[in-house]
Amino acid sequence: MDFKEFVNSLPNQRSETIAELARICRVSPSTVYRWVNGDFFPDPLKRKVIADYLNISEKVLWPNLWEIYGVKILLHVKLKRETMNVKTVEKAIDE
């Protein structure tokens, strides 16, 4: 059960959980809502704090995160070497 599924599975405690996660991560509740919606991911330290608080591993809460970051890092490295344009981005994604 990933982070979004976990939070959404708490219909009676959802607001309280989001408020508590915001408090322990020292962010606003709207930031936690963005994490739940998948608009953004918490930084590594906040992911660790959340995983510890919920007693669920980071890999379970954010199973696809490593793939997403891997692609972003790969793109960043490749694009720094070449002029950034649409063809370069498409080529980097395909590799």
Side-chain angles (χ1 to χ4, degrees):
M1 178 179 301
D2 69 16
F3 183 63
K4 179 178 184 172
E5 291 170 342
F6 177 80
V7 173
N8 288 334
S9 74
L10 306 168
N12 297 330
Q13 301 166 328
R14 186 172 190 262
S15 297
E16 293 86 3
T17 302
I18 287 174
E20 185 61 15
L21 292 174
R23 186 189 69 74
I24 65 173
C25 291
R26 297 182 178 183
V27 297
S28 69
S30 63
T31 297
V32 178
Y33 279 106
R34 288 185 192 116
W35 297 340
V36 171
N37 290 333
D39 298 334
F40 300 98
F41 295 107
D43 65 52
L45 179 60
K46 289 178 177 65
R47 287 194 309 267
K48 169 95 172 95
V49 168
I50 292 167
D52 289 349
Y53 175 77
L54 298 176
N55 200 25
I56 303 173
S57 81
E58 289 181 57
K59 289 185 179 182
V60 170
L61 290 172
W62 295 280
N64 299 321
L65 184 66
W66 315 113
E67 295 170 18
I68 292 167
Y69 275 136
V71 169
K72 285 184 179 179
I73 290 168
L74 174 67
L75 282 172
H76 178 72
V77 169
K78 288 185 177 271
L79 292 176
K80 281 192 91 146
R81 293 185 199 154
E82 302 177 31
T83 304
M84 189 162 102
N85 60 45
V86 173
K87 287 184 181 181
T88 305
V89 172
E90 289 172 349
K91 182 180 173 187
I93 290 172
D94 290 336
E95 291 179 351

